Amino acid sequence: MHNLSRRRVLSLGAALGLVSATSTTNAWAWSPTGSVAGTGTGTDPEYVWDDEVDQLVASLLDNGQVPAVNTAMASWVNNNDPLPSGLPADLTAYLQRVNKLPSWADQDKLARAADFNRRKDTYLFMLYGLGSGIMSTVIPREARSVYWSAGGANMQDRAAKTFTFGYDLAQLKGFEPTGQFVVTANKTRVVHAAVRHLLPQSPHWTAVTDEHIPISNADILVTFHSLGTFVRRKLLDWKVPFSAEDQDAFLHSWQVALHLLGVRDEYIPKSWADAEAQSGQVLTPILAPTTEGIELAEDLLGLTAQVDLGVTRGFLNEFVRYVLSNEIGDWLGLKRDYASAALIRTAWPAFILFREGLSPVAPAAFYVFDQFVRALAMLFLNKGASGTTTPIVIPTGNRAAS
């Protein structure tokens, strides 16, 4: 890669707070010694999928069994719920094996992570919603896979389902028997298997993609870094109090989540230093605009018209630029609002200081920001309904050409 491209990667990595974005090679070079497993084959995760469930779900789709499975799985919600009756025997046997936490899961860390998520939910809503959510539209493979899958045709519904995943992950008892995240993760894993079978049958997707099967282990890792790694670094950049113990617990919740989604332990970073090294190789160098991603970003930002966020679209555009970078804002064609940009640059840091008890003075824009965060959260929580009500269903087709 020539020096200009390398400088672009470094500049963008710095803007996103991904300080280790120094690698620009496409070859897999991350060592499994930095993983929770501590060892591994070194196989490039780009060529690792989820073979057992992929074969099971492909058979369900080919035999027309998915509608019945979706009906049976609708009542399967809490982690301690029995597996639903009416599932094919081989799917039941598979779920019995995987529907549990890994042996290395630490319940104390998971509980601490949930408490941290509760304490810092204001910033997490903003970073997951306007940071990670919009960043996903400049991850070319993710944007194209989302757009041409069935969910891409209804971004309100897909955004709600995506938010449900994060909502369940962040709940105080999300990983405990009465929580829901283990079930949510396993349902998502099954949906991923369906998409891996269906998307290669879409001529629209195959015409624009550079992979023959979507949602590899590498693709899931990229998504993790656009979420967990990105959010952790931005919280530090924003000087939000974030103890070492909270950071470790936050990482652990994502480690368990990755395992439940079918990522091999040899690819799951064991520390934030390892995570940032991996992110610098697999995420920052690949960010780029696509036709599909630009349309998805407009769809997502356009959803805000359905809820009164108390701000203008120009303010929303500028907050995305503030969180992600002007370069990404330009890729997505986000119109400038320089008055809002100036307000955000000055008032958002003051808002954080006041909320954290580090300053006795509330910024003049405190109410604007506070209402904005609350309305944004409700927008993605199923138009203000409970985040637990969004069903996760296995798709049976792809997006039709528009």
Side-chain angles (χ1 to χ4, degrees):
M1 181 175 287
H2 53 71
N3 290 335
L4 181 61
S5 296
R6 179 176 174 80
R7 287 198 298 272
R8 186 196 72 79
V9 169
L10 293 173
S11 174
L12 188 56
L16 296 175
L18 302 172
V19 295
S20 296
T22 57
S23 173
T24 56
T25 178
N26 289 324
W28 177 250
W30 191 79
S31 171
T33 59
S35 71
V36 295
T39 186
T41 63
T43 302
D44 189 335
E46 183 170 344
Y47 305 104
V48 174
W49 291 274
D50 207 352
D51 295 343
E52 183 179 4
V53 69
D54 287 353
Q55 293 171 12
L56 282 172
V57 175
S59 177
L60 296 177
L61 285 163
D62 292 342
N63 295 327
Q65 296 173 277
V66 166
V69 169
N70 280 330
T71 299
M73 288 176 61
S75 62
W76 184 41
V77 177
N78 293 329
N79 298 336
N80 60 358
D81 285 346
L83 287 173
S85 59
L87 294 180
D90 50 0
L91 180 60
T92 297
Y94 163 77
L95 290 173
Q96 285 174 336
R97 290 198 304 276
V98 301
N99 190 45
K100 59 184 178 181
L101 297 177
S103 60
W104 44 265
D106 185 323
Q107 286 287 2
D108 289 339
K109 288 184 178 181
L110 294 174
R112 184 176 187 123
D115 182 63
F116 169 78
N117 290 331
R118 177 188 58 81
R119 287 183 279 118
K120 307 301 180 184
D121 60 0
T122 295
Y123 318 116
L124 295 177
F125 281 139
M126 299 297 282
L127 288 172
Y128 284 141
L130 293 182
S132 304
I134 302 302
M135 192 196 300
S136 71
T137 69
V138 293
I139 298 173
R141 288 180 174 178
E142 184 167 349
R144 287 166 172 152
S145 293
V146 167
Y147 186 89
W148 288 114
S149 65
N154 186 344
M155 286 307 292
Q156 172 75 57
D157 181 65
R158 189 182 190 282
K161 289 175 180 175
T162 301
F163 203 94
T164 297
F165 185 89
Y167 185 86
D168 290 349
L169 171 63
Q171 287 299 286
L172 283 174
K173 298 182 183 296
F175 292 90
E176 296 180 19
T178 56
Q180 298 179 1
F181 184 75
V182 178
V183 171
T184 294
N186 275 290
K187 286 185 176 181
T188 302
R189 188 172 179 177
V190 172
V191 168
H192 285 170
V195 173
R196 280 191 284 266
H197 184 65
L198 292 168
L199 263 186
Q201 301 173 36
S202 166
H204 311 292
W205 179 77
T206 57
V208 296
T209 189
D210 64 346
E211 54 185 351
H212 68 286
I213 301 174
I215 319 181
S216 66
N217 268 204
D219 293 333
I220 298 174
L221 289 170
V222 168
T223 300
F224 155 62
H225 292 302
S226 74
L227 291 158
T229 307
F230 164 73
V231 165
R232 180 249 183 185
R233 177 49 55 186
K234 293 304 285 190
L235 290 174
L236 293 175
D237 288 348
W238 286 353
K239 297 180 171 54
V240 174
F242 199 2
S243 70
E245 293 79 10
D246 282 344
Q247 290 183 51
D248 186 45
F250 184 64
L251 174 61
H252 190 66
S253 68
W254 278 106
Q255 290 169 333
V256 175
L258 287 169
H259 174 92
L260 291 173
L261 288 173
V263 175
R264 294 182 184 176
D265 289 357
E266 68 177 278
Y267 302 129
I268 301 174
K270 69 180 179 183
S271 71
W272 281 119
D274 294 306
E276 289 195 348
Q278 189 183 85
S279 178
Q281 180 184 158
V282 304
L283 173 62
T284 315
I286 68 170
L287 296 177
T290 61
T291 301
E292 293 85 356
I294 291 170
E295 185 171 330
L296 290 176
E298 185 59 33
D299 286 346
L300 286 168
L301 294 172
L303 291 175
T304 60
Q306 301 175 21
V307 176
D308 181 10
L309 300 185
V311 300
T312 65
R313 173 61 191 268
F315 181 95
L316 188 63
N317 288 352
E318 290 298 339
F319 210 98
V320 171
R321 287 176 174 273
Y322 179 73
V323 173
L324 290 181
S325 75
N326 280 325
E327 183 172 10
I328 289 177
D330 290 343
W331 287 350
L332 297 174
L334 302 183
K335 293 181 180 179
R336 298 305 310 258
D337 182 336
Y338 292 102
S340 291
L343 173 67
I344 293 165
R345 282 197 306 271
T346 56
W348 182 250
F351 174 80
I352 292 175
L353 287 173
F354 181 76
R355 278 195 61 92
E356 295 299 320
L358 302 175
S359 169
V361 181
F366 178 85
Y367 180 77
V368 172
F369 283 121
D370 197 55
Q371 291 302 109
F372 179 44
V373 174
R374 294 177 188 276
L376 187 71
M378 288 300 99
L379 168 66
F380 291 112
L381 284 175
N382 239 1
K383 299 182 180 178
S386 167
T388 64
T389 60
T390 302
I392 297 176
V393 298
I394 307 169
T396 56
N398 298 310
R399 179 180 185 146
S402 45

